[in-house]
Each structure stands twice: as structure tokens, then as C-alpha cells.
Amino acid sequence: MRQKLVARFGENVPRYTSYPTAPHFHPGVDAAVCRGWLQALGGGDEISLYLHIPYCDKLCWFCACHTKQTRHYEPVTTYLRSLHAEIATVASLVAGKGRVRAVHFGGGSPTMLKPEDMVALGTALRNSFGFLPGAKISVEIEPNDMDEARLDALAEIGMTRASLGVQDFDPKVQKAINREQSFLQTKAVVDGVRSRGVESVNLDLLYGLPHQTKASVSSTVAQALTLEPDRIALFGYAHVPWSKKHQTMIDEAWLPGPAERFAQSQLAARAIVDQGYEAIGLDHFAKPGDALALAARAGTLHRNFQGYTDDCCETLIGLGPSSISQFRQGYAQNMPSTSEYRCTVDDGGLAAVRGIALSNDDRVRGWIIERLMCDFAFSAIDLVERFGEAGQRLLLQSSSMALHDPVRLLELDGDRFVVPAESRPFVRSIAARFDKYFEAGTARHSAAV
């Protein structure tokens, strides 16, 4: 049965970290619209901040992030001046109305910043925005960057969660993706952040990489588990060379096929769950006492541009080129060009150049897709109570899928529409059935499994 599902639903679909997804953003949402959305924040609103560092000192061939390689630090220094300018402009528009519950440093490689620059960023954020007590600070860490001074700097800015990219520990796989990183390097960073009081460690693992086999994936998972991470993210490699040209460095003949990818993902997931971790959504795992596991059990898990999260803030402000902000009214994305971004924000402007304002239909479909991605289920009663007539229309579509689809992608259980266990690995394909933009769109996406 599962192999038939792999064959049928192994198509390329969005990852659904937003709805509508980014390919459907348009220039009608620009800096002026974003300015109005920032100014409309309420006094009691809680917000999250995302800071994008679009530089790496070494480019990994598998990466699909918006980043560029630099062997010199001068471009980073120049960029940071602009990032500070954007922080000041956004903070002036927020005018103290929003309180920060969470901050996420992503990239690129945030940890390539010099220690003093990382501390200066943390100070600027706290001086510019009001922080709630116990605000969470997450940082994506590249272990090859790390030294004692950087570990101390991360402790100084109050980092509460460290997210380390592992991908695969097999040397042959690492060479093929231009990311050489030993287990001992990774362990040293995990030990270093924990010795400085960091309460949560996340490891990112990948399947579907060049030269990966079930044996290499199993070995990597076993080594990763010895580090006792609080969370594990298990992603499928997204091969999108049409948008990320450096991925052409990976010979497609080295990539496992759909059936092998699926086998790798299931083998890794079973090994993680067997060690007591709870499966969270499509591709995350957490210890039972972790905040992510608690949110999943309580039905309060969310999904945004950083993946699965217990962050319940309606407003996420993205800072830096290509960053996406989420507001009650819709989404706004900054220009991707670092040079254009600098020119704009250095003059006190906002860098938003595209986005989308949410319609009532978008909100209903977005809620269904998020609940499917997070809970593999949604309540018909909740749908109608929240969205009225618009929810009723989508309820008819859900009922048709549950009653008439021979593949049983959705089943009706009382008032709940539930994705059966055997279909859960294909939940992105199920979510795509509620995406009114998907069939009409021209964007190309990564494989669903």
C-alpha cells in the first residue's frame, strides 16, 4: 500500500511553511503596505523576530537558503550596519507596541559573525524592542564556525535554543555536499552550549542526499542520538537546481530515488521514536518534556518559516534580505538582493517589495493546511465556528475527499477529519488539495517525501 502511495503522491509540492506560499506573493504588497501593517500593531501584541544573515564562509551544495559565500569579513561588516539601520526603522514604526516573545537568528551562517558583532546585534534588539520575560532566543549554528569566544557571545545574548546542522556524518556524503563536519566537532559544540546553560539543543538531519543509503542514514541517526538532543528535525533533501544553481554541483545520478528516499525517512523516524522521542508533525521529533512535544499534545503546535514551533505569536517580523514577515493582514517579503537592501534601509526605508494580503478564503484554507501539517486532523465544528459560511464551503470539499477518495487520504472520525497513519508521510500532498493556488501556479517545488 505504501509503495503505491509513494508512486502516486511522491510529486513535488510546497512545504507549507505559509499559506499562500511565497511563489504567489506579488508586488502589490510593498513597503507602504508593510509600514501600515507595522503601525497597526496593538499595544498588547506579542511578536517574534527573525534576523537573516545571508553569508557563509563556505557554500554547501545541498543548501536551498538565500545566502552567498564570502572569504572576507568586510561585506559582513557592511551588511551589519544596514541590518542595524533596518532594526532602528522597524522599531520606530512599532513604537513600543509589540513585546518580543521569540527571536530566531538564521542564514546563511549567523555564527560566522565575530563575537562582538553578535553581542552588538543582541544589544540592539533589546534596546529597540520591549522583550517579554523569558523570551526565547534561537540560533542556527554551523559547527565549523565555532570557538570558545563565539560560544561565550551566544551565551551573552541569552541564547536558549541551539540548532545545529548535521545532515549526515558519512564522509562520502559530506564530500558530495561540500560540508565536512566530524561527529567530534558536533559533540564539542553541543557540550559547549550545554555547559553555558542552553536549555534546548536541536539537530538537523537530512535524508535523500547524494550517496546516502539506508545504512549511512541509520549510522548517522545512531550517532546523533548519543548526543541526546532535545529535538531532531529530519528533512528530505530539496533538490531545486533551477532556483539554487550551486546544487548543480551535485550529480543527480548520485541521488536516491523516491522509494529509497522514503525507506531512508521511515528507517530514521523509527530509530528516533524507538529511543523515546515523540513524532511531531511531518518531520520533527522531541523529548516528551520538550515544549514542542507539549504543544503537539495540547493541539497548539504551529508552523511558520522556521518549521514546527510552539511560538503562538501572530506577528513575525523578518529582518534582512529575503526575510518574510507575517502579520494578521498578510505576508510581506524583503527584497533578496543584498546590495539593493542596503541602499533601501540605509536611507531609512523598508525593504518589503512583495507579499500578499489574506482573503477570508485564504484564512480558512491556511487554517486547514496548518492543522493538517501539525495535527494530521482538523475539527469540522471548529472549522465552521471559526469561519462560518467560508468554513462551511471547505467542509463540503473535505467531506467529498473523505467519502469518495478510494486512497483514503482523509477519514471522517466523529466531527474530525483525520489523515490515517499510512497516509501521514504524504500530508504535504494532502494539504495541496486545499491549496487553490497550487494547480494554477507555475512554481516548481521539492519532492513531497
Side-chain angles (χ1 to χ4, degrees):
M1 177 65 172
R2 281 200 168 188
Q3 292 308 314
K4 291 181 180 179
L5 289 173
V6 171
R8 181 175 174 185
F9 297 108
E11 79 264 55
N12 293 3
V13 291
R15 288 185 176 271
Y16 292 113
T17 53
S18 71
Y19 181 80
T21 55
H24 304 290
F25 294 178
H26 57 77
V29 173
D30 57 10
V33 173
C34 185
R35 180 179 298 270
W37 290 352
L38 284 166
Q39 292 174 324
L41 286 172
D45 286 359
E46 295 182 359
I47 62 177
S48 295
L49 301 174
Y50 171 78
L51 281 79
H52 189 64
I53 308 299
Y55 291 98
C56 297
D57 47 21
K58 185 178 182 181
L59 200 58
C60 304
W61 303 147
F62 71 89
C63 183
C65 299
H66 175 75
T67 188
K68 62 179 70 174
Q69 180 180 359
T70 178
R71 298 181 182 277
H72 305 285
Y73 198 73
E74 289 82 2
V76 180
T77 299
T78 302
Y79 167 70
L80 289 174
R81 285 197 294 267
S82 299
L83 184 58
H84 278 271
E86 186 186 19
I87 290 170
T89 298
V90 169
S92 70
L93 295 171
V94 171
K97 290 181 291 186
R99 305 290 302 283
V100 174
R101 178 167 291 281
V103 181
H104 188 97
F105 291 85
S109 299
T111 50
M112 78 171 291
L113 297 186
K114 292 180 178 179
E116 59 269 25
D117 288 334
M118 180 62 78
V119 171
L121 265 184
T123 301
L125 292 174
R126 292 185 182 273
N127 288 342
S128 301
F129 298 94
F131 275 59
L132 288 164
K136 304 299 184 183
I137 312 294
S138 304
V139 183
E140 296 175 10
I141 292 178
E142 214 285 56
N144 287 292
D145 291 334
M146 299 308 293
D147 54 28
E148 293 298 310
R150 283 182 168 86
L151 287 167
D152 289 342
L154 293 176
E156 188 170 344
I157 68 169
M159 180 176 70
T160 59
R161 184 165 69 91
S163 184
L164 283 73
V166 170
Q167 325 323 334
D168 192 293
F169 285 124
D170 187 290
K172 184 176 181 180
V173 176
Q174 291 185 353
K175 184 176 180 180
I177 62 175
N178 200 36
R179 174 66 174 264
E180 297 181 54
Q181 173 186 324
S182 71
F183 171 78
L184 290 178
Q185 276 181 292
T186 306
K187 183 180 187 303
V189 175
V190 171
D191 291 344
V193 298
R194 282 184 170 148
S195 70
R196 289 163 173 81
V198 170
E199 62 192 42
S200 180
V201 173
N202 173 81
L203 299 183
D204 286 344
L205 308 180
L206 285 178
Y207 63 88
L209 288 170
H211 300 308
Q212 267 187 325
T213 64
K214 292 188 287 291
S216 72
V217 169
S218 180
S219 176
T220 288
V221 170
Q223 291 178 83
L225 287 169
T226 66
L227 301 177
E228 299 186 3
D230 302 274
R231 302 177 184 179
I232 296 175
L234 177 66
F235 299 123
Y237 165 54
H239 190 61
V240 289
W242 52 86
S243 64
K244 298 299 177 182
K245 299 303 182 185
H246 55 266
Q247 289 191 352
T248 60
M249 300 296 292
I250 294 176
D251 188 332
E252 293 186 358
W254 300 342
L255 297 175
E260 173 68 15
R261 279 176 61 101
F262 181 75
Q264 291 175 9
S265 72
Q266 297 305 290
L267 179 69
R270 284 195 300 271
I272 296 168
V273 170
D274 285 349
Q275 290 301 309
Y277 288 79
E278 294 187 8
I280 310 295
L282 177 63
D283 50 22
H284 280 52
F285 304 84
K287 290 184 175 180
D290 185 85
L292 205 62
L294 298 176
R297 292 200 295 273
T300 57
L301 188 67
H302 292 283
R303 187 166 172 84
N304 63 21
F305 302 105
Q306 283 78 59
Y308 289 108
T309 178
D310 59 321
D311 181 2
C312 59
C313 296
E314 289 188 90
T315 301
L316 186 157
I317 299 174
L319 302 162
S322 81
S323 293
I324 300 176
S325 297
Q326 178 177 347
F327 300 94
R328 292 188 183 94
Q329 300 90 334
Y331 299 98
Q333 184 172 24
N334 286 356
M335 57 190 63
S337 167
T338 305
S339 58
E340 293 178 10
Y341 163 84
R342 286 178 41 231
C343 289
T344 299
V345 301
D346 286 353
D347 287 337
L350 293 176
V353 292
R354 61 195 294 267
I356 193 166
L358 296 176
S359 67
N360 286 336
D361 185 70
D362 292 334
R363 297 179 197 280
V364 181
R365 293 175 184 272
W367 181 83
I368 290 175
I369 288 171
E370 184 176 42
R371 295 320 337 137
L372 287 172
M373 294 294 296
C374 291
D375 304 333
F376 300 111
F378 64 91
S379 163
I381 293 175
D382 283 352
L383 178 64
V384 176
E385 286 183 349
R386 286 171 178 269
F387 301 106
E389 185 178 339
Q392 188 71 44
R393 287 195 297 272
L394 269 293
L395 183 59
L396 293 175
Q397 180 181 343
S398 307
S399 299
S400 177
M401 190 185 305
L403 296 174
H404 303 301
D405 191 333
V407 185
R408 294 172 55 247
L409 294 176
L410 278 181
E411 294 180 344
L412 191 56
D413 181 9
D415 86 302
R416 287 165 57 81
F417 291 92
V418 179
V419 179
E422 66 269 17
S423 298
R424 291 182 178 184
F426 315 99
V427 69
R428 286 169 57 194
S429 294
I430 299 170
R433 293 194 167 199
F434 292 94
D435 183 347
K436 72 175 182 180
Y437 300 92
F438 179 61
E439 291 297 335
T442 60
R444 300 174 69 183
H445 302 285
S446 60
V449 179

